[in-house]
């Protein structure tokens, strides 16, 4: 199926729980950021931390109608503890947030073995606040990444407000199926009933499968989570080539699946890591090293005593940090960095960062989403490794998830492990785990193909006279730092960014290419966006000082036939070039 060019259409096409959304032109992206009706009114979907899914909106309205007070809005979270954090955030940033309250709701557990296939007990926290506080609550939803997923919303809507109707329908269906089988297949009523009961049950559960879109029975959710932790553990804990010496020099136990934590989004993994540091080192600031994805910096700014932002993420930045540490002008709890960074694809000097962390006693948190743990091995240099499993690990762009790994060889491991043992709450929804486990089974094969295609795609743009710069680990001044952590069989990832000499060429190229266009990355299909416009529209002048141009285009390469993809991109370049003839 060809990529939709319809504003607001889901990406992938016709996907109920899609992660991305179509913004097919540069003008539509600007219109979305400016809230123009011709764009906003057509949005059927959106990135889940920014756009609250229609199913969740319907659930919220039902809860507001049944439990809300006049002028109140509701925001739904997967537990009371999460709702409490949202309440605290609203109170902190609102002038009149003292009236925020929390309602706890539950759905019943399965009553028998059969029901375990499609019934699961859930406990949620609903944060009620005055409608004036909605923008603040929405900030919490976006930054923390721990709102309920659309699949959880779908389940809650059915269990809390539609169950009686659904139960009657299913009971009637089962009776009808029994009668039909009995009448059609056997002259003997008693014999027929005993011989067709299994068929009736099979058809009944087939209806459940089709109606509610189950990938697997819900009773396998715990096994799916265990499989995911083991899969991540196996990929993330391999000693190879350049880093083998460092691995040998470290003492302690190897990584275990119990050191891998699953979360509802990659941003929630970062949020969770930061929450841990706030508890362990409450009076220390954080360092954001390198220009990060927007919400990472928001988390470090809005929670805790402050953040030192070293936006260039280069050796001079490390010099500046070391000076401050030597002079005792700063005491930091942790340093957060991306490896490589999004969207400039810079790789930090993790070896030097690790040395500084050991000397000055702070925690290193590395987000390896863009590189992914098949291509790079960052665990020896980090105390915590976070990742968005929404991206290439899943690939299908139909489920949100994140992971956090504790390094068992870290000097901070005992403190961190105690915190997670006592404080960590599993809020990763069961159905999402089932989808993610299925999606990620061929993660390795997909990653290899994407890496190979991307190398040739990058070459296409480096040869074009229209392009002023291509951002990719192989072309960066920090390439040696990437190569130091690159695995033996790893590549350089599927993400790159391009900058045209002429901004009009960038617009023409973007509007011409017949590809999926919208937020996210790491998808099984190539996905493009005018990154600065989409992620930083309100601060374009500010981000320019960190080397992020307002006309930057980011491209995430997928699994399409390489020649077809190159032809598609070349057509876009040709159309842009034709403007000058």
């Amino acid at each position: 199926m060809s990529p939709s060019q319809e504003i607001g259409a889901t990406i992938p096409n016709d996907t109920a729980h899609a992660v991305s959304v179509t913004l097919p032109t540069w003008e539509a992206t600007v219109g979305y950021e400016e809230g123009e009706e011709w764009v906003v009114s057509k949005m059927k979907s959106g990135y889940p931390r920014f756009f609250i899914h229609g199913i969740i909106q319907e659930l919220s309205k039902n809860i507001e109608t049944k439990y809300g007070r006049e002028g109140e809005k509701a925001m739904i979270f997967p537990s009371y503890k999460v709702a409490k954090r949202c309440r605290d955030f609203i109170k902190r940033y609102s002038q009149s947030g003292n009236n925020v309250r929390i309602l706890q709701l539950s759905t019943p557990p399965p009553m028998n073995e059969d029901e375990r296939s499609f019934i699961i007990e859930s406990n949620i926290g609903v944060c009620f606040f005055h409608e004036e506080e909605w923008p603040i609550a929405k900030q919490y939803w976006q930054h923390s990444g721990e709102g309920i997923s659309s699949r959880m919303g779908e389940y809650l809507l059915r269990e809390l407000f539609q169950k009686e109707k659904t139960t009657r329908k299913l009971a009637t269906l089962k009776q009808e199926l029994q009668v039909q089988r009995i009448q059609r297949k056997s002259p003997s009523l008693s014999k027929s009933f005993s011989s067709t009961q299994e068929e009736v049950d099979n058809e009944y559960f087939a209806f459940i499968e089709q109606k509610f879109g189950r990938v697997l029975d819900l009773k396998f959710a715990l096994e799916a989570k265990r499989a995911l932790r083991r899969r991540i553990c196996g990929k993330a804990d391999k000693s190879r080539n350049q880093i083998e010496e460092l691995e040998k020099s470290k003492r302690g136990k190897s990584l275990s699946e119990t050191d891998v934590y699953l979360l509802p989004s990659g941003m929630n993994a970062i949020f969770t890591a930061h929450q841990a540091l706030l508890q362990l080192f409450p009076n220390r600031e954080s360092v954001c090293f390198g220009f990060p994805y927007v919400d990472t910096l928001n988390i470090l700014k809005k929670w805790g005593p402050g953040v030192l932002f070293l936006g260039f993420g280069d050796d001079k930045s490390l010099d500046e940090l070391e000076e401050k540490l030597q002079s005792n002008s700063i005491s930091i709890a942790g340093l957060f960095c991306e490896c490589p960074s999004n969207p400039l694809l810079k790789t930090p000097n993790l070896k030097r960062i690790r040395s500084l962390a050991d000397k000055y006693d702070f925690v290193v948190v590395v987000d390896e989403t863009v590189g992914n743990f098949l291509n790079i091995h960052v665990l020896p240099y980090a105390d915590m490794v976070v990742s968005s499993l929404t991206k290439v690990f899943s690939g299908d762009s139909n489920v949100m998830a994140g992971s956090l790994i504790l390094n068992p060889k870290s000097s901070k491991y005992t403190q961190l492990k105690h915190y997670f043992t006592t404080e960590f709450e599993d809020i990763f929804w069961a159905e999402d785990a089932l989808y993610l486990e299925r999606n990620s089974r061929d993660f390795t094969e997909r990653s290899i193909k994407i890496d190979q295609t991307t190398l040739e795609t990058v070459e296409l743009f480096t040869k074009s006279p229209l392009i002023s710069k291509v951002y990719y680990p192989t072309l960066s001044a920090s390439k040696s730092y990437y190569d130091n952590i690159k695995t033996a069989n790893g590549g350089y990832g599927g993400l790159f960014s391009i900058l045209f000499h002429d901004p009009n060429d960038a617009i023409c190229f973007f509007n011409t290419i017949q590809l999926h266009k919208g937020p996210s990355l790491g998808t099984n299909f190539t996905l493009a966006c005018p990154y600065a416009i989409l992620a930083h529209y309100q601060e374009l002048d500010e981000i320019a000082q960190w080397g992020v141009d307002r006309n930057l285009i980011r491209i995430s390469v997928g699994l399409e036939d390489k020649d077809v993809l190159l032809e598609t991109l070349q057509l876009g370049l040709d159309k842009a070039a034709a403007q000058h003839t």
Side-chain angles (χ1 to χ4, degrees):
M1 184 180 294
S2 61
S4 173
Q5 300 300 307
E6 177 189 348
I7 293 173
T10 61
I11 303 178
N13 301 344
D14 304 317
T15 300
H17 301 283
V19 165
S20 191
V21 61
T22 303
L23 291 167
T25 65
W26 199 282
E27 294 79 9
T29 308
V30 172
Y32 171 74
E33 292 297 327
E34 293 189 346
E36 294 185 12
E37 183 68 16
W38 68 276
V39 178
V40 176
S41 63
K42 298 176 182 177
M43 300 297 287
K44 303 183 184 73
S45 180
Y47 198 76
R49 287 191 303 102
F50 293 84
F51 180 92
I52 296 181
H53 196 284
I55 289 171
I56 300 175
Q57 292 183 42
E58 183 179 353
L59 174 63
S60 298
K61 288 178 181 177
N62 275 274
I63 289 176
E64 287 164 4
T65 299
K66 187 170 183 178
Y67 301 105
R69 299 168 184 167
E70 186 176 354
E72 279 188 332
K73 299 283 288 181
M75 188 164 279
I76 308 160
F77 296 99
S79 76
Y80 170 79
K81 285 176 66 175
V82 178
K84 184 176 181 295
R85 284 195 287 270
C86 180
R87 180 180 66 186
D88 293 343
F89 184 80
I90 295 173
K91 286 184 174 181
R92 179 179 178 185
Y93 288 100
S94 171
Q95 297 296 321
S96 56
N98 292 325
N99 294 322
V100 183
R101 63 189 182 93
I102 298 173
L103 172 70
Q104 297 183 73
L105 294 173
S106 300
T107 64
M111 300 298 291
N112 52 54
E113 186 62 25
D114 284 344
E115 285 194 354
R116 287 185 62 223
S117 293
F118 54 93
I119 297 292
I120 187 170
E121 184 177 13
S122 62
N123 300 285
I124 61 171
V126 182
C127 202
F128 283 99
F129 45 85
H130 195 273
E131 55 191 0
E132 291 178 357
E133 269 79 57
W134 171 258
I136 299 173
K138 183 65 167 19
Q139 286 182 40
Y140 185 86
W141 180 282
Q142 175 184 323
H143 301 332
S144 72
E146 56 186 0
I148 62 168
S149 74
S150 55
R151 285 190 184 86
M152 187 175 191
E154 184 177 55
Y155 182 86
L156 293 168
L157 183 64
R158 184 172 66 251
E159 289 295 303
L160 294 175
F161 296 100
Q162 301 172 349
K163 186 171 183 179
E164 185 177 345
K165 184 194 304 183
T166 303
T167 302
R168 286 200 303 268
K169 284 184 178 179
L170 293 177
T172 302
L173 171 74
K174 199 164 187 179
Q175 285 182 334
E176 290 175 352
L177 289 172
Q178 288 174 340
V179 172
Q180 289 170 10
R181 294 287 189 184
I182 292 167
Q183 291 177 343
R184 186 166 67 241
K185 287 202 167 187
S186 175
S188 167
L189 190 65
S190 59
K191 181 179 178 181
S192 174
F193 186 84
S194 62
S195 65
T196 62
Q197 185 63 46
E198 184 177 352
E199 294 176 355
V200 171
D201 287 341
N202 287 342
E203 192 160 342
Y204 169 70
F205 287 111
F207 172 81
I208 293 288
E209 175 79 20
Q210 294 169 5
K211 177 70 176 175
F212 301 127
R214 305 298 180 202
V215 177
L216 290 172
D217 287 347
L218 284 180
K219 63 186 175 185
F220 295 124
L222 290 178
E223 286 86 346
K225 290 183 179 182
R226 189 176 301 115
L228 286 165
R229 289 195 299 270
R230 287 177 177 174
R231 190 168 297 156
I232 293 166
C233 178
K235 305 298 184 187
D237 191 36
K238 293 185 178 178
S239 306
R240 321 189 192 199
N241 284 1
Q242 301 96 327
I243 47 178
E244 195 166 346
E245 283 294 317
L246 181 60
E247 280 287 293
K248 286 179 180 178
S249 70
K250 298 282 185 178
R251 300 295 178 186
K253 72 185 186 74
S254 298
L255 183 66
S256 160
E257 66 182 81
T258 59
D259 296 321
V260 179
Y261 298 87
L262 300 175
L263 300 117
S265 68
M267 196 49 60
N268 186 239
I270 295 170
F271 180 79
T272 300
H274 185 50
Q275 290 292 307
L277 297 187
L278 288 178
Q279 289 294 317
L280 296 175
F281 312 105
N283 299 316
R284 298 194 200 175
E285 295 180 56
S286 298
V287 171
C288 183
F289 189 77
F291 188 86
Y293 180 72
V294 55
D295 282 310
T296 298
L297 189 56
N298 280 325
I299 287 171
L300 302 182
K301 283 180 176 179
K302 295 182 180 181
W303 284 267
V307 57
L308 171 63
F309 179 35
L310 300 172
F312 290 116
D314 55 12
D315 289 338
K316 287 185 178 179
S317 301
L318 283 178
D319 292 340
E320 180 183 344
L321 175 62
E322 189 167 15
E323 278 184 31
K324 291 180 180 294
L325 291 168
Q326 284 178 342
S327 64
N328 292 318
S329 63
I330 187 173
S331 176
I332 63 173
L335 179 148
F336 291 74
C337 63
E338 297 176 350
C339 194
S341 64
N342 173 21
L344 298 182
L345 287 304
K346 291 182 179 180
T347 305
N349 184 347
L350 289 183
K351 184 177 181 180
R352 187 177 172 194
I353 288 173
R354 180 71 265 162
S355 178
L356 289 174
D358 291 340
K359 183 176 181 179
Y360 294 101
D361 191 36
F362 61 84
V363 172
V364 178
V365 183
V366 180
D367 180 354
E368 53 74 77
T369 299
V370 173
N372 90 56
F373 34 67
L374 288 176
N375 290 327
I376 57 175
H377 190 46
V378 302
L379 190 63
Y381 302 97
D383 301 284
M384 290 187 275
V385 177
V386 294
S387 186
S388 172
L389 304 180
T390 308
K391 310 305 191 296
V392 70
F393 186 80
S394 170
D396 277 344
S397 190
N398 64 0
V399 61
M400 294 279 284
S403 64
L404 185 151
I405 302 172
L406 298 182
N407 182 358
K409 298 174 182 178
S410 161
S411 62
K412 295 290 191 295
Y413 177 77
T414 301
Q415 289 172 278
L416 291 169
K417 190 65 176 179
H418 180 263
Y419 172 86
F420 277 87
T421 300
T422 56
E423 299 294 331
F424 179 76
E425 183 180 31
D426 181 4
I427 56 173
F428 185 38
W429 179 237
E431 289 177 276
D432 293 323
L434 292 168
Y435 271 83
L436 183 64
E437 192 283 320
R438 182 197 67 177
N439 292 354
S440 61
R441 290 174 189 174
D442 62 349
F443 166 48
T444 299
E445 295 79 9
R446 288 185 290 104
S447 181
I448 291 171
K449 181 176 181 181
I450 287 171
D451 288 350
Q452 292 171 345
T453 301
T454 305
L455 284 173
E456 294 197 37
T457 308
V458 165
E459 186 177 2
L460 172 71
F461 287 101
T462 58
K463 291 179 177 179
S464 172
L466 300 178
I467 302 297
S468 66
K469 188 166 184 178
V470 179
Y471 301 84
Y472 193 59
T474 60
L475 304 172
S476 173
S478 62
K479 180 179 182 296
S480 63
Y481 299 143
Y482 189 102
D483 288 339
N484 285 339
I485 56 174
K486 183 173 169 291
T487 61
N489 299 312
Y492 291 91
L495 189 73
F496 67 96
S497 300
I498 55 175
L499 188 62
F500 284 78
H501 289 289
D502 186 340
N504 291 321
D505 289 345
I507 296 171
C508 179
F509 168 83
F510 184 79
N511 291 351
T512 299
I513 52 174
Q514 294 297 301
L515 295 170
H516 287 292
K517 288 177 270 189
S520 198
L521 58 93
T523 49
N524 291 339
F525 42 85
T526 299
L527 185 61
C529 70
Y531 181 81
I533 299 293
L534 189 61
H536 297 279
Y537 188 71
Q538 303 301 326
E539 50 188 8
L540 292 173
D541 292 333
E542 181 180 340
I543 65 172
Q545 66 180 303
W546 306 113
V548 183
D549 192 280
R550 66 179 61 215
N551 298 302
L552 192 77
I553 295 175
R554 191 188 69 182
I555 299 176
S556 172
V557 174
L559 297 175
E560 296 93 343
D561 178 86
K562 177 187 64 180
D563 293 334
V564 172
L565 175 60
L566 291 174
E567 181 181 353
T568 300
L569 294 169
Q570 185 63 58
L571 286 172
L573 289 171
D574 292 344
K575 186 68 176 291
Q579 295 185 127
H580 300 280
T581 59

